[in-house]
Amino acid sequence: MSKELYWLTLTVAMTGLLWVPYILDRIMVRGAMGATANPSPTDKPQSAWAQRMNAAHANTAENLVVFAPLVLIAQALNIHTASTAFACALFFWCRLIYVAVYTAGIPVLRTLAFAGGFVGQVILVLAIFGTM
């Protein structure tokens, strides 16, 4: 497995697990039956951190739609450089930091982590077009 696919796999796994704390909070707030019921405008709101984590999860999934194809395009073109491996690791760690600081409610670090992940995507695009 290439380093790029390794980091993509970790990113996909992380994204796939981010819903778990959110749902655990839902169970704690609404009880097991309330957590499994259909959503209603009268539902007790979840904890603020859980709402932020849910938003971070959605944003991570949205960015995965850009990151994953870039990694797969590079893989299909057999582009494996130190820069592409770095870009994929950068994206993963920035997304992990993004989720943590967004959940904690730290605005400036959240934006910096988001920007770092974007830089990783840009590096992949540049590598695919042969400019890196």
Side-chain angles (χ1 to χ4, degrees), residues 10-82:
L10 284 181
T11 304
V12 169
M14 175 187 67
T15 304
L17 291 172
L18 288 176
W19 64 273
V20 174
Y22 175 79
I23 295 303
L24 292 176
D25 179 73
R26 180 175 284 188
I27 293 168
M28 295 301 295
V29 170
R30 299 180 188 164
M33 293 308 294
T36 59
N38 288 327
S40 167
T42 62
D43 286 340
K44 185 175 178 184
Q46 287 195 244
S47 303
W49 71 264
Q51 292 176 35
R52 289 190 302 270
M53 179 171 240
N54 190 42
H57 177 233
N59 185 268
T60 299
E62 291 165 0
N63 278 271
L64 187 58
V65 172
V66 175
F67 176 66
L70 289 173
V71 173
L72 296 175
I73 291 166
Q75 181 75 21
L77 295 174
N78 202 29
I79 299 170
H80 306 285
T81 66

Side-chain angles (χ1 to χ4, degrees), residues 3-4 78-86 123 127 132:
K3 291 177 183 175
E4 295 83 0
N78 202 29
I79 299 170
H80 306 285
T81 66
S83 294
T84 58
F86 169 77
I123 291 169
M132 273 200 98

